[in-house]
Amino acid sequence: MTDFTLPKGKGMFVYKCKHAGENERDAIYATGTAEKVASECKKAGITYVIVKCLDGTWKYNQRPIEWDNAGNTIKWVDDLLQPWVQTLHSAGIQVWGYQYVYLNYPEQEGDAALERTPAMGLDGLYIDAEIEAKKNASKTAKYTARLLNAPFPIGLCSYRYPSLHPELAWRTFLNICDFNAPQVYWEGAHNPAKQLADAYLEHKNILKSNLPFLPVGSAYTPGSSWSATPEDVIAFMKKAETLGFPSVSFWEWYNIKRYLPQNWDAIATYQYGDVVIPEPEPEPEQPPQYSLEEKVERLWNAHKELWEGG
């Protein structure tokens, strides 16, 4: 564990850098840029993002440079993520990384996290431990041993209800963590406040964890008949504030911008805690528009004044 400043306010997960931008077009055509992300964060009062940096041992969010005849990428260069992080940092936005862990090769995954997090200039690491981590629970200690003295803060980003996932090596993960960021996804329902309160009590009572609680909420659609609603995300944030959590974050930038922009608007207009949402920039004044006849008359009058004054 290490000294660090907890994220405050509102955060947003980013799966692929190039799919995070201003709008649906950026999401579809991968035309997002760090400048666009920083601008949108500023307008929406988003103080931090959590970007995928590792998939197991694989360096994620690299730039593809070569494809096979079927259109599959076969070569990448790792020059995308670091400048992306630097641009957001220069705008005052924290950037955390997340690693999806498989634990097939736990030592190598731990070493990859230990190397890539500081190499990319990330503020810290979220460990995304899901079904594969449950299957390989016996290998968890080999992974966490590599990160025991990591020079950056670490959070666990896993299931909302420990009681439903006893196979996960919860305490082994949490022993190296500085905070807990469970995925409180209320798919199929619209009771986020209750699910958040229940999740918090389970983590506190079952796991006996007193780590800072920074929950991740649903703002997405999984492509079924269910979608998170603006009312859901507002209720989630209100409950999180009531429970005293320093920040909340949401999954995920691309999905929200492409399919549920109304959820983005709901998040953007909600002031979480004492993090103030900046006032929108005033529209630049437009010069007056004149018809052709008016332009000719104004030009004639200007010349007339010049002659008479000479």
Side-chain angles (χ1 to χ4, degrees):
M1 297 187 182
T2 186
D3 292 333
F4 74 107
T5 301
L6 277 172
K8 295 180 67 177
K10 299 174 295 187
M12 188 67 65
F13 275 77
V14 172
Y15 181 47
K16 293 184 178 181
C17 291
K18 298 295 288 184
H19 289 274
E22 295 175 334
N23 50 35
E24 180 185 10
R25 179 176 179 79
D26 284 337
I28 295 172
Y29 295 105
T31 52
T33 65
E35 290 79 9
K36 290 180 178 180
V37 170
S39 174
E40 290 299 291
C41 284
K42 287 292 189 181
K43 289 188 288 186
I46 292 170
T47 57
Y48 67 105
V49 297
I50 311 102
V51 62
K52 188 167 185 178
C53 63
L54 285 163
D55 191 64
T57 60
W58 175 255
K59 294 176 181 178
Y60 212 78
N61 271 307
Q62 300 185 78
R63 182 169 59 89
I65 58 171
E66 192 174 321
W67 297 263
D68 62 18
N69 292 333
N72 301 308
T73 307
I74 57 175
K75 190 173 182 181
W76 295 260
V77 62
D78 194 17
D79 65 356
L80 172 63
L81 186 56
Q82 188 181 48
W84 194 88
V85 172
Q86 290 173 342
T87 298
L88 267 67
H89 276 168
S90 67
I93 310 298
Q94 280 193 338
V95 187
W96 297 70
Y98 78 90
Q99 177 189 28
Y100 192 93
V101 294
Y102 297 87
L103 305 185
N104 293 320
Y105 307 99
E107 295 97 340
Q108 291 92 325
E109 289 183 38
D111 289 342
L114 198 60
E115 184 277 329
R116 189 160 178 77
T117 304
M120 295 297 104
L122 295 162
D123 291 289
L125 181 72
Y126 281 55
I127 299 171
D128 186 358
E130 301 185 30
I131 187 169
E132 292 84 0
K134 291 200 299 182
K135 291 177 180 178
N136 290 317
S138 62
K139 301 179 182 179
T140 306
K142 293 181 179 180
Y143 170 81
T144 57
R146 290 295 211 257
L147 294 170
L148 187 59
N149 296 307
F152 49 80
I154 299 173
L156 179 62
C157 187
S158 192
Y159 299 102
R160 57 188 163 163
Y161 297 145
S163 63
L164 300 182
H165 305 276
E167 309 95 324
L168 193 79
W170 290 98
R171 290 184 177 84
T172 306
F173 278 120
L174 290 173
N175 280 342
I176 64 162
C177 286
D178 301 276
F179 62 93
N180 193 3
Q183 302 165 15
V184 184
Y185 299 159
W186 53 89
E187 278 193 31
H190 295 285
N191 59 343
K194 181 181 187 307
Q195 292 203 31
L196 179 56
D198 291 345
Y200 178 55
L201 287 175
E202 284 210 6
H203 281 261
K204 190 171 183 177
N205 296 332
I206 295 176
L207 301 180
K208 307 301 181 184
S209 173
N210 290 314
L211 291 175
F213 203 79
L214 280 62
V216 186
S218 308
Y220 61 86
T221 176
S224 63
S225 58
W226 178 89
S227 296
T229 67
E231 293 77 17
D232 286 347
V233 299
I234 290 172
F236 178 79
M237 290 187 285
K238 284 183 176 179
K239 188 62 175 180
E241 278 195 293
T242 300
L243 293 170
F245 303 148
S247 74
V248 295
S249 57
F250 291 94
W251 181 269
E252 178 269 347
W253 192 299
Y254 162 89
N255 190 287
I256 303 169
K257 284 288 190 179
R258 180 170 183 181
Y259 301 112
L260 298 169
Q262 64 272 26
N263 285 355
W264 183 277
D265 293 341
I267 295 167
T269 55
Y270 188 94
Q271 180 175 318
Y272 191 93
D274 58 0
V275 179
V276 178
I277 300 171
E279 293 292 330
E281 292 290 333
E283 292 292 330
E285 290 188 13
Q286 298 295 325
Q289 302 297 313
Y290 299 107
S291 67
L292 180 59
E293 292 79 4
E294 288 173 324
K295 289 178 181 178
V296 171
E297 184 178 356
R298 287 173 62 83
L299 183 61
W300 165 249
N301 288 337
H303 281 293
K304 184 178 177 182
E305 289 175 7
L306 182 62
W307 293 332
E308 291 177 348

